[in-house]
């Protein structure tokens, strides 16, 4: 008899071959998968998520060789990055081959491709032997799902299958690197940092839209960047400053807001400084990976507790911290208060 994982792979492959939607775990977040070569199947992803149709999808593959049939060319930087970081949380953007429909690329002549490292994701992708278009398996704009329960909350009744692989490891989406410019450009920060990329390919640029400093009139290269994203239902404000001032500021806000309920995102090191509100620890300031891992679960938990306002501590933007702060700033709609500012 086949084990559960084998049967899950058979079921997902069948759903995908029939043009349906199956959500599955990856090492970054849960993906909402469909056949990436089938316009009609991709259209179902946009409908299920309520996603704007100009926001392109990432194709997920099981083997590096699959790239060759999906792109016009792989340049030297592409080969170096694929060899160094695949399978893993790095998405690469190439000029697309004709077989990739515009329905999956949001009308662009480029295609985003990733080879995940999660063992169950790899098994499903090997079984189906098709490139699977898969954005995060959440309703558009909400925090990304990092457990099958999160997927269920958003997608119950909208999709054909959810594969439960437990909680994901990393907890924020893949790093996206555009290979169609003269030097590679980071369009979205993730676990693979600029420093890690530069050790492999030399100079790497960062798209100015990433940290929200972009002129609103510029058209962002990763179309997803122009949309509000990752957001809890209650308005979120980030507070930046030294530990003592941040806690004092938020404690005052909790008093001022009464009788409204305030959610507070703190860390292990600071959680006991808060005197009221609903305090959740997002991890340890000394361990950025713990903060990334818990980020979306904490944002979703505040939705379930129906808080009216959320205040969050702010984190270092050094290395992997850049990915975490990019998501938090978007979740906050760029609302940030700087204490101790000169
Ligand atoms: P999601 O799958 O929801 O994490 O979003 C996928 C992200 O990849 C979006 O921000 C897209 O804008 C970006 N993306 C996908 N394909 C391309 C492409 N061809 N060029 C630029 N960005 C892309
Ligand atoms: Mg997403």
């Amino acid at each position: 008899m086949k084990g559960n994982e084998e049967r899950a792979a058979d079921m997902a492959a069948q759903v995908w071959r029939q043009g349906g939607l199956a959500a599955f775990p990856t090492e970054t977040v849960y993906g909402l998968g469909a056949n990436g070569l089938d316009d009609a199947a991709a259209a179902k992803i946009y409908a299920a998520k309520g996603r704007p149709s100009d926001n392109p999808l990432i194709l997920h593959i099981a083997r590096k060789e699959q790239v060759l049939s999906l792109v016009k060319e792989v340049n030297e930087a592409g080969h170096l990055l694929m060899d160094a970081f695949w399978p893993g949380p790095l998405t690469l953007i190439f000029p697309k081959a004709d077989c990739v429909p515009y329905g999956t690329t949001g009308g662009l002549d480029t295609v985003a491709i990733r080879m995940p490292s999660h063992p169950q994701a790899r098994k499903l992708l090997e079984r189906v032997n098709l490139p699977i278009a898969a954005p995060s398996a959440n309703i558009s704009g909400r925090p990304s799902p990092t457990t099958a329960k999160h997927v269920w909350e958003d997608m119950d009744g909208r999709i054909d299958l959810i594969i439960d692989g437990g909680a994901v490891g990393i907890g924020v989406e893949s790093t996206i690197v555009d290979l169609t410019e003269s030097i590679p450009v980071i369009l979205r920060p993730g676990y693979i940092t600029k420093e890690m990329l530069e050790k492999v390919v030399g100079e790497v640029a960062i798209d100015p839209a990433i940290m929200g400093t972009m002129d609103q009139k510029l058209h962002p290269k990763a179309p997803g960047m122009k949309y509000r994203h990752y957001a809890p239902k209650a308005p979120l404000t980030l507070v930046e400053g030294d530990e003592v001032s941040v806690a004092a500021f938020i404690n005052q806000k909790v008093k001022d807001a009464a009788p409204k309920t305030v959610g507070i995102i703190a860390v292990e090191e600071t959680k006991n400084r808060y005197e009221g509100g609903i305090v959740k620890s997002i991890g340890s300031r000394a361990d950025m990976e713990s903060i990334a891992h818990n980020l979306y679960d904490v944002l979703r938990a505040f939705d379930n507790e129906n808080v009216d306002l959320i205040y969050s501590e702010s984190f270092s933007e050094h290395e992997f911290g850049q990915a975490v702060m990019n998501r938090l700033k978007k979740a906050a709609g760029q609302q940030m208060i700087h204490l101790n500012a000169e």
Side-chain angles (χ1 to χ4, degrees), residues 3-22:
N4 281 342
E5 287 209 359
E6 296 297 324
R7 280 193 289 134
D10 286 341
M11 286 170 76
Q14 192 181 6
V15 166
W16 285 332
R17 289 197 189 109
Q18 292 174 348
L21 301 181

PDB file of all heavy atoms in Angstrom, residues 3-22:
ATOM      1  N   GLY A   3       2.125   5.024   0.976  1.00  0.00           N
ATOM      2  CA  GLY A   3       2.096   5.869   2.170  1.00  0.00           C
ATOM      3  C   GLY A   3       1.307   7.141   1.879  1.00  0.00           C
ATOM      4  O   GLY A   3       0.949   7.429   0.728  1.00  0.00           O
ATOM      5  N   ASN A   4       1.051   7.898   2.958  1.00  0.00           N
ATOM      6  CA  ASN A   4       0.276   9.130   2.811  1.00  0.00           C
ATOM      7  C   ASN A   4       0.896  10.116   1.833  1.00  0.00           C
ATOM      8  O   ASN A   4       0.205  10.752   1.051  1.00  0.00           O
ATOM      9  CB  ASN A   4       0.128   9.825   4.165  1.00  0.00           C
ATOM     10  CG  ASN A   4      -0.970   9.155   4.990  1.00  0.00           C
ATOM     11  OD1 ASN A   4      -1.786   8.435   4.426  1.00  0.00           O
ATOM     12  ND2 ASN A   4      -0.954   9.394   6.277  1.00  0.00           N
ATOM     13  N   GLU A   5       2.228  10.250   1.913  1.00  0.00           N
ATOM     14  CA  GLU A   5       2.889  11.226   1.038  1.00  0.00           C
ATOM     15  C   GLU A   5       2.766  10.840  -0.428  1.00  0.00           C
ATOM     16  O   GLU A   5       2.603  11.693  -1.299  1.00  0.00           O
ATOM     17  CB  GLU A   5       4.368  11.362   1.413  1.00  0.00           C
ATOM     18  CG  GLU A   5       4.543  12.102   2.707  1.00  0.00           C
ATOM     19  CD  GLU A   5       5.858  12.859   2.791  1.00  0.00           C
ATOM     20  OE1 GLU A   5       6.651  12.780   1.828  1.00  0.00           O
ATOM     21  OE2 GLU A   5       6.067  13.522   3.816  1.00  0.00           O
ATOM     22  N   GLU A   6       2.837   9.527  -0.692  1.00  0.00           N
ATOM     23  CA  GLU A   6       2.705   9.052  -2.070  1.00  0.00           C
ATOM     24  C   GLU A   6       1.285   9.313  -2.587  1.00  0.00           C
ATOM     25  O   GLU A   6       1.089   9.764  -3.712  1.00  0.00           O
ATOM     26  CB  GLU A   6       3.004   7.546  -2.156  1.00  0.00           C
ATOM     27  CG  GLU A   6       4.426   7.173  -1.790  1.00  0.00           C
ATOM     28  CD  GLU A   6       5.440   7.788  -2.746  1.00  0.00           C
ATOM     29  OE1 GLU A   6       5.138   7.882  -3.957  1.00  0.00           O
ATOM     30  OE2 GLU A   6       6.518   8.193  -2.270  1.00  0.00           O
ATOM     31  N   ARG A   7       0.313   9.029  -1.721  1.00  0.00           N
ATOM     32  CA  ARG A   7      -1.082   9.249  -2.151  1.00  0.00           C
ATOM     33  C   ARG A   7      -1.359  10.728  -2.356  1.00  0.00           C
ATOM     34  O   ARG A   7      -2.056  11.129  -3.287  1.00  0.00           O
ATOM     35  CB  ARG A   7      -2.056   8.639  -1.126  1.00  0.00           C
ATOM     36  CG  ARG A   7      -2.194   7.129  -1.327  1.00  0.00           C
ATOM     37  CD  ARG A   7      -3.363   6.576  -0.561  1.00  0.00           C
ATOM     38  NE  ARG A   7      -3.062   6.597   0.864  1.00  0.00           N
ATOM     39  CZ  ARG A   7      -3.887   7.023   1.799  1.00  0.00           C
ATOM     40  NH1 ARG A   7      -5.088   7.468   1.474  1.00  0.00           N
ATOM     41  NH2 ARG A   7      -3.533   7.009   3.067  1.00  0.00           N
ATOM     42  N   ALA A   8      -0.775  11.577  -1.480  1.00  0.00           N
ATOM     43  CA  ALA A   8      -0.948  13.026  -1.630  1.00  0.00           C
ATOM     44  C   ALA A   8      -0.359  13.484  -2.965  1.00  0.00           C
ATOM     45  O   ALA A   8      -0.951  14.306  -3.677  1.00  0.00           O
ATOM     46  CB  ALA A   8      -0.275  13.758  -0.470  1.00  0.00           C
ATOM     47  N   ALA A   9       0.791  12.918  -3.322  1.00  0.00           N
ATOM     48  CA  ALA A   9       1.430  13.303  -4.591  1.00  0.00           C
ATOM     49  C   ALA A   9       0.561  12.877  -5.773  1.00  0.00           C
ATOM     50  O   ALA A   9       0.392  13.638  -6.740  1.00  0.00           O
ATOM     51  CB  ALA A   9       2.826  12.676  -4.695  1.00  0.00           C
ATOM     52  N   ASP A  10      -0.026  11.696  -5.698  1.00  0.00           N
ATOM     53  CA  ASP A  10      -0.921  11.238  -6.771  1.00  0.00           C
ATOM     54  C   ASP A  10      -2.134  12.159  -6.901  1.00  0.00           C
ATOM     55  O   ASP A  10      -2.548  12.518  -8.008  1.00  0.00           O
ATOM     56  CB  ASP A  10      -1.436   9.810  -6.489  1.00  0.00           C
ATOM     57  CG  ASP A  10      -0.359   8.759  -6.711  1.00  0.00           C
ATOM     58  OD1 ASP A  10       0.628   9.071  -7.395  1.00  0.00           O
ATOM     59  OD2 ASP A  10      -0.521   7.641  -6.188  1.00  0.00           O
ATOM     60  N   MET A  11      -2.692  12.528  -5.731  1.00  0.00           N
ATOM     61  CA  MET A  11      -3.910  13.368  -5.759  1.00  0.00           C
ATOM     62  C   MET A  11      -3.605  14.748  -6.336  1.00  0.00           C
ATOM     63  O   MET A  11      -4.352  15.270  -7.175  1.00  0.00           O
ATOM     64  CB  MET A  11      -4.486  13.521  -4.341  1.00  0.00           C
ATOM     65  CG  MET A  11      -5.182  12.273  -3.849  1.00  0.00           C
ATOM     66  SD  MET A  11      -5.596  12.391  -2.098  1.00  0.00           S
ATOM     67  CE  MET A  11      -7.001  13.481  -2.164  1.00  0.00           C
ATOM     68  N   ALA A  12      -2.491  15.360  -5.885  1.00  0.00           N
ATOM     69  CA  ALA A  12      -2.147  16.702  -6.382  1.00  0.00           C
ATOM     70  C   ALA A  12      -1.877  16.645  -7.883  1.00  0.00           C
ATOM     71  O   ALA A  12      -2.353  17.502  -8.646  1.00  0.00           O
ATOM     72  CB  ALA A  12      -0.933  17.247  -5.639  1.00  0.00           C
ATOM     73  N   ALA A  13      -1.155  15.614  -8.326  1.00  0.00           N
ATOM     74  CA  ALA A  13      -0.835  15.505  -9.756  1.00  0.00           C
ATOM     75  C   ALA A  13      -2.124  15.391 -10.571  1.00  0.00           C
ATOM     76  O   ALA A  13      -2.260  16.011 -11.638  1.00  0.00           O
ATOM     77  CB  ALA A  13       0.076  14.301 -10.003  1.00  0.00           C
ATOM     78  N   GLN A  14      -3.067  14.621 -10.039  1.00  0.00           N
ATOM     79  CA  GLN A  14      -4.339  14.454 -10.760  1.00  0.00           C
ATOM     80  C   GLN A  14      -5.101  15.789 -10.836  1.00  0.00           C
ATOM     81  O   GLN A  14      -5.603  16.175 -11.902  1.00  0.00           O
ATOM     82  CB  GLN A  14      -5.190  13.394 -10.056  1.00  0.00           C
ATOM     83  CG  GLN A  14      -6.364  12.967 -10.905  1.00  0.00           C
ATOM     84  CD  GLN A  14      -7.238  11.936 -10.200  1.00  0.00           C
ATOM     85  OE1 GLN A  14      -7.039  11.610  -9.025  1.00  0.00           O
ATOM     86  NE2 GLN A  14      -8.200  11.424 -10.909  1.00  0.00           N
ATOM     87  N   VAL A  15      -5.171  16.499  -9.716  1.00  0.00           N
ATOM     88  CA  VAL A  15      -5.849  17.807  -9.707  1.00  0.00           C
ATOM     89  C   VAL A  15      -5.196  18.735 -10.728  1.00  0.00           C
ATOM     90  O   VAL A  15      -5.875  19.383 -11.538  1.00  0.00           O
ATOM     91  CB  VAL A  15      -5.805  18.431  -8.287  1.00  0.00           C
ATOM     92  CG1 VAL A  15      -6.181  19.901  -8.325  1.00  0.00           C
ATOM     93  CG2 VAL A  15      -6.721  17.671  -7.330  1.00  0.00           C
ATOM     94  N   TRP A  16      -3.861  18.805 -10.697  1.00  0.00           N
ATOM     95  CA  TRP A  16      -3.157  19.736 -11.591  1.00  0.00           C
ATOM     96  C   TRP A  16      -3.335  19.360 -13.060  1.00  0.00           C
ATOM     97  O   TRP A  16      -3.535  20.210 -13.911  1.00  0.00           O
ATOM     98  CB  TRP A  16      -1.661  19.788 -11.211  1.00  0.00           C
ATOM     99  CG  TRP A  16      -1.427  20.576  -9.941  1.00  0.00           C
ATOM    100  CD1 TRP A  16      -2.196  21.605  -9.465  1.00  0.00           C
ATOM    101  CD2 TRP A  16      -0.364  20.404  -8.995  1.00  0.00           C
ATOM    102  NE1 TRP A  16      -1.660  22.077  -8.279  1.00  0.00           N
ATOM    103  CE2 TRP A  16      -0.544  21.371  -7.975  1.00  0.00           C
ATOM    104  CE3 TRP A  16       0.737  19.536  -8.911  1.00  0.00           C
ATOM    105  CZ2 TRP A  16       0.331  21.489  -6.885  1.00  0.00           C
ATOM    106  CZ3 TRP A  16       1.609  19.658  -7.825  1.00  0.00           C
ATOM    107  CH2 TRP A  16       1.397  20.621  -6.827  1.00  0.00           C
ATOM    108  N   ARG A  17      -3.273  18.043 -13.351  1.00  0.00           N
ATOM    109  CA  ARG A  17      -3.425  17.623 -14.757  1.00  0.00           C
ATOM    110  C   ARG A  17      -4.829  17.912 -15.281  1.00  0.00           C
ATOM    111  O   ARG A  17      -5.019  18.121 -16.477  1.00  0.00           O
ATOM    112  CB  ARG A  17      -3.108  16.131 -14.912  1.00  0.00           C
ATOM    113  CG  ARG A  17      -1.636  15.860 -14.757  1.00  0.00           C
ATOM    114  CD  ARG A  17      -1.216  14.501 -15.308  1.00  0.00           C
ATOM    115  NE  ARG A  17       0.156  14.238 -14.918  1.00  0.00           N
ATOM    116  CZ  ARG A  17       0.520  13.322 -14.019  1.00  0.00           C
ATOM    117  NH1 ARG A  17      -0.376  12.523 -13.456  1.00  0.00           N
ATOM    118  NH2 ARG A  17       1.791  13.180 -13.704  1.00  0.00           N
ATOM    119  N   GLN A  18      -5.802  17.942 -14.360  1.00  0.00           N
ATOM    120  CA  GLN A  18      -7.189  18.239 -14.773  1.00  0.00           C
ATOM    121  C   GLN A  18      -7.492  19.733 -14.739  1.00  0.00           C
ATOM    122  O   GLN A  18      -8.643  20.141 -14.873  1.00  0.00           O
ATOM    123  CB  GLN A  18      -8.170  17.483 -13.865  1.00  0.00           C
ATOM    124  CG  GLN A  18      -8.100  15.977 -14.100  1.00  0.00           C
ATOM    125  CD  GLN A  18      -8.947  15.189 -13.107  1.00  0.00           C
ATOM    126  OE1 GLN A  18      -9.418  15.721 -12.113  1.00  0.00           O
ATOM    127  NE2 GLN A  18      -9.105  13.901 -13.397  1.00  0.00           N
ATOM    128  N   GLY A  19      -6.470  20.554 -14.507  1.00  0.00           N
ATOM    129  CA  GLY A  19      -6.680  22.008 -14.539  1.00  0.00           C
ATOM    130  C   GLY A  19      -7.211  22.585 -13.240  1.00  0.00           C
ATOM    131  O   GLY A  19      -7.717  23.710 -13.211  1.00  0.00           O
ATOM    132  N   GLY A  20      -7.076  21.828 -12.124  1.00  0.00           N
ATOM    133  CA  GLY A  20      -7.586  22.306 -10.833  1.00  0.00           C
ATOM    134  C   GLY A  20      -6.527  22.980  -9.976  1.00  0.00           C
ATOM    135  O   GLY A  20      -5.378  23.183 -10.414  1.00  0.00           O
ATOM    136  N   LEU A  21      -6.919  23.325  -8.728  1.00  0.00           N
ATOM    137  CA  LEU A  21      -6.049  24.043  -7.791  1.00  0.00           C
ATOM    138  C   LEU A  21      -5.731  23.168  -6.583  1.00  0.00           C
ATOM    139  O   LEU A  21      -6.642  22.668  -5.911  1.00  0.00           O
ATOM    140  CB  LEU A  21      -6.742  25.313  -7.287  1.00  0.00           C
ATOM    141  CG  LEU A  21      -7.176  26.351  -8.321  1.00  0.00           C
ATOM    142  CD1 LEU A  21      -7.824  27.547  -7.611  1.00  0.00           C
ATOM    143  CD2 LEU A  21      -5.970  26.822  -9.144  1.00  0.00           C
ATOM    144  N   ALA A  22      -4.439  23.015  -6.269  1.00  0.00           N
ATOM    145  CA  ALA A  22      -4.019  22.296  -5.059  1.00  0.00           C
ATOM    146  C   ALA A  22      -2.989  23.130  -4.316  1.00  0.00           C
ATOM    147  O   ALA A  22      -2.004  23.578  -4.908  1.00  0.00           O
ATOM    148  CB  ALA A  22      -3.420  20.936  -5.425  1.00  0.00           C
TER     149      ALA A  22
END
